[in-house]
Amino acid sequence: MKIISGPRRWRVVQVCCLAIVIVAGNGPFLNAWATDKYDTWRSHQPDYMSEYGRWDIVADPGSRSIHAAMLRTGKILLLAGSGNNQANFDAKRFETILWDPVANTFKQIYTPWDVFCAGQAFLPSGDLLIAGGTKKYEVLPQDSPDGKKQEYQGLKDSYTFNPQTERYEKTGDLNFARWYPTLVTLASGQVVAVSGLNDKGDIDPGNTEWFDQANRTWIHNEGLVKEFPTYPSLLLAGDGRLFFSGANAGYGPASLEARQPGFWSLTDGTFQAVPGLPQPEINETAGTVLLPPAQEQRVMFVAGGGVGDTQVATARTAIVDLDDPNPHYVQGPNTTVAKRYPGVVVLPDDTVLVSGGSTAYRQKDTQTAELYHPDTNTFTPAADPLVGRDYHSSYLLMPDGRVAVFGSNPLSDDNFFETRIEIYSPPYMYQGERPVIKTAPTSVTRGTTIDLGVSQDVSKVRLIRPGAYTHVTDTEQRSVALPVVSQANGKVTVSVPDNANLLPPDWYMLFVDNGKNIPSVATWVQVQ
């Protein structure tokens, strides 16, 4: 063995000591780097993905996605308007982009008004109806001439977006200006609009109006008056009433009475209160979902926070059976962490993704996700998102069974906005061969049966209405079961429910499931 001696030996000792110092000094960094590399490697392993799913950042269009809607063409409409940016508003720079997830391309859409904070709902044609928007930004007390805060002001503008021409088309204006309103499609195909701040910045006192499709005009229903907080979460129930879960996005009276969950009749205006919501004082920025399948008429209330910009958040969930003779909320399982602004999305295997959110008002993003199982009333872990999401984030189920996530506008001095698009691939994407729908009708009629050509025997068939998401609110998404009547030799016959309150007219994503909770890619079907 060769012995190193003299000056050379001393240089070797110095180099070794220097290496030790460098490693010790950068220990936390190296440890974090190694942990990050390991987590990335683990998250892409087949066993991990088949149990928890996987997240991928797929694009960054640079657009502030305030609203998102899944169109029947398979493309996704991302609406920003001025994008919560005063400079854009002053310059009348209003933006909409159309994303093609297959080609991963983006198209700029001419946007004739400030769609920022409007309401949206799908018409039976598959066109997206958008009404309201921003007339004026808020002015904070320190910037106001009289030292008082001036609220945002709403618009009367109303448009439809045509997925075929990929253009906005003007309709008649709203009767009442609205900012932060909710639009809901009814069994008749009509759309009702409620709530919002008016053109003076005041909460709408309860004016209700309907969109007349034939004349493309809005009609004021003077006999129907009900005040709601802004962006109230309203769902069409099986009996035709609208169920207000109690969740909302903020503005309006802070009293528990004004935010009381219940059924609202559009026939006579009566309101039936639904009791039992745990922690009813923190029902703002909460999620609401009609649990799958819709026939069971169970609604889940997810997380939420205190009124206004308080830092309070909760992990509670609650569930109500709308068909119960005496409907009331019962406590459900808690989410992993307390959160505001949860993303809540129905999946074609009858589970529900609950993701994102923050533990305080527009800050401290959780970057957690879990899957709720309605059959067992339990949560199981999902892979952790790579990007934090809170205020101004949106979540949409895509026809291939994945979930696309957009936006986030946490509090910061520079009004930061997250523009990266992330996609969640649920566990069923990695659990085996997926069934294929070979043939299906392009339109169906309620109360009939239809035949499907499939590659495997199926146990479940679902019609899932595409989402139109903004401000933790999506009145559109619902998963309706089509019971299997018979199947043989690659042909399955299913029945279509006849209740239009359960299955409003629209274009739906049709999925089949092979009995192993592995769904197909969807085909688009119009329910007439």
Side-chain angles (χ1 to χ4, degrees):
M1 181 176 67
K2 185 176 181 180
I3 304 297
I4 301 174
S5 61
R8 185 180 176 191
R9 180 179 182 182
W10 175 239
R11 285 197 299 272
V12 171
V13 171
Q14 286 179 311
V15 170
C16 290
C17 290
L18 179 61
I20 293 172
V21 170
I22 291 173
V23 170
N26 290 276
F29 169 77
L30 292 173
N31 181 65
W33 177 84
T35 300
D36 182 64
K37 290 295 183 183
Y38 171 75
D39 288 343
T40 300
W41 172 84
R42 182 185 65 157
S43 68
H44 286 72
Q45 299 309 299
D47 289 347
Y48 182 91
M49 294 187 297
S50 68
E51 184 172 358
Y52 304 109
R54 167 177 161 176
W55 292 88
D56 293 285
I57 299 170
V58 298
D60 186 353
S63 177
R64 296 184 163 213
S65 306
I66 306 293
H67 313 253
M70 182 73 238
L71 304 178
R72 63 183 179 89
T73 57
K75 298 179 181 180
I76 293 177
L77 192 68
L78 301 174
L79 306 90
S82 58
N84 198 22
N85 184 293
Q86 181 77 55
N88 285 344
F89 179 81
D90 293 341
K92 300 189 184 302
R93 288 193 298 263
F94 308 141
E95 185 176 55
T96 301
I97 62 174
L98 189 63
W99 178 44
D100 183 339
V102 177
N104 202 16
T105 56
F106 298 88
K107 176 182 178 180
Q108 290 282 343
I109 304 296
Y110 170 67
T111 309
W113 87 114
D114 194 2
V115 66
F116 174 55
C117 295
Q120 54 194 9
F122 281 110
L123 297 172
S125 63
D127 290 2
L128 183 68
L129 175 65
I130 310 112
T134 302
K135 175 186 175 183
K136 183 181 177 182
Y137 270 57
E138 69 179 357
V139 179
L140 298 176
Q142 61 269 28
D143 301 320
S144 175
D146 58 4
K148 297 179 181 179
K149 182 182 179 182
Q150 299 175 20
E151 298 291 359
Y152 284 94
Q153 296 176 6
L155 290 171
K156 294 182 179 180
D157 294 64
S158 174
Y159 290 79
T160 55
F161 183 81
N162 186 322
Q164 295 301 118
T165 63
E166 298 183 346
R167 293 180 179 179
Y168 285 112
E169 299 173 356
K170 190 75 176 75
T171 74
D173 284 346
L174 289 162
N175 292 280
F176 303 93
R178 300 182 187 273
W179 185 88
Y180 267 40
T182 290
L183 274 58
V184 185
T185 307
L186 307 177
S188 63
Q190 291 179 303
V191 174
V192 62
V194 300
S195 193
L197 300 186
N198 63 21
D199 53 5
K200 295 181 175 59
D202 299 323
I203 185 74
D204 183 272
N207 297 305
T208 305
E209 51 190 310
W210 312 75
F211 184 68
D212 181 346
Q213 295 179 76
N215 297 310
R216 294 175 64 84
T217 58
W218 287 92
I219 301 171
H220 177 207
N221 189 326
E222 296 183 8
L224 199 58
V225 179
K226 174 72 173 107
E227 183 177 359
F228 289 101
T230 54
Y231 278 134
S233 183
L234 296 167
L235 300 173
L236 180 62
D239 63 6
R241 293 182 294 176
L242 292 182
F243 176 67
F244 173 46
S245 73
N248 62 90
Y251 297 82
S255 69
L256 293 181
E257 181 182 3
R259 294 164 183 254
Q260 171 67 51
F263 291 94
W264 182 39
S265 171
L266 299 177
T267 303
D268 58 17
T270 56
F271 187 81
Q272 177 189 349
V274 170
L277 180 64
Q279 300 173 285
E281 71 282 0
I282 48 176
N283 61 0
E284 204 167 275
T285 61
T288 301
V289 64
L290 180 62
L291 292 173
Q295 283 90 334
E296 296 187 2
Q297 289 289 282
R298 295 191 303 148
V299 171
M300 188 177 197
F301 190 104
V302 182
V307 174
D309 57 1
T310 61
Q311 303 307 307
V312 178
T314 178
R316 63 90 158 83
T317 72
I319 299 168
V320 57
D321 181 351
L322 304 185
D323 282 341
D324 191 313
N326 297 296
H328 58 282
Y329 275 108
V330 295
Q331 181 83 44
N334 283 353
T335 55
T336 303
V337 296
K339 59 177 64 180
R340 304 174 70 125
Y341 323 101
V344 186
V345 182
V346 171
L347 302 180
D349 66 345
D350 286 350
T351 61
V352 178
L353 173 68
V354 177
S355 178
S358 60
T359 59
Y361 179 75
R362 296 178 61 184
Q363 56 185 310
K364 300 181 181 178
D365 293 343
T366 68
Q367 289 185 243
T368 59
E370 50 214 312
L371 294 167
Y372 175 72
H373 303 262
D375 55 343
T376 60
N377 191 31
T378 58
F379 280 110
T380 56
D384 293 333
L386 304 174
V387 179
R389 309 281 178 175
D390 51 64
Y391 185 57
H392 286 156
S393 58
S394 299
Y395 297 73
L396 294 177
L397 174 69
M398 299 195 299
D400 63 6
R402 299 181 300 164
V403 176
V405 187
F406 315 91
S408 187
N409 193 186
L411 284 175
S412 63
D413 291 339
D414 61 354
N415 190 26
F416 169 77
F417 205 106
E418 176 61 64
T419 59
R420 290 174 292 174
I421 298 174
E422 189 172 13
I423 287 183
Y424 177 64
S425 300
Y428 51 66
M429 302 287 290
Y430 309 102
Q431 293 176 345
E433 182 182 358
R434 301 179 70 179
V436 176
I437 301 174
K438 294 183 175 181
T439 60
T442 56
S443 64
V444 302
T445 303
R446 297 183 204 87
T448 65
T449 60
I450 59 172
D451 295 329
L452 307 173
V454 293
S455 65
Q456 304 177 28
D457 283 349
V458 302
S459 64
K460 294 186 296 188
V461 180
R462 298 288 184 264
L463 283 176
I464 300 186
R465 195 163 186 229
Y469 200 107
T470 190
H471 293 80
V472 210
T473 305
D474 187 348
T475 66
E476 303 294 85
Q477 67 167 339
R478 60 177 57 209
S479 177
V480 180
L482 303 188
V484 175
V485 176
S486 64
Q487 62 178 314
N489 302 318
K491 174 185 172 182
V492 58
T493 300
V494 297
S495 61
V496 182
D498 60 1
N499 184 352
N501 294 313
L502 186 69
L503 194 60
D506 193 4
W507 284 81
Y508 286 73
M509 293 178 281
L510 173 68
F511 293 91
V512 301
D513 187 299
N514 66 1
K516 300 177 182 178
N517 290 322
I518 301 177
S520 66
V521 172
T523 186
W524 286 94
V525 176
Q526 186 176 24
V527 175
Q528 299 177 325

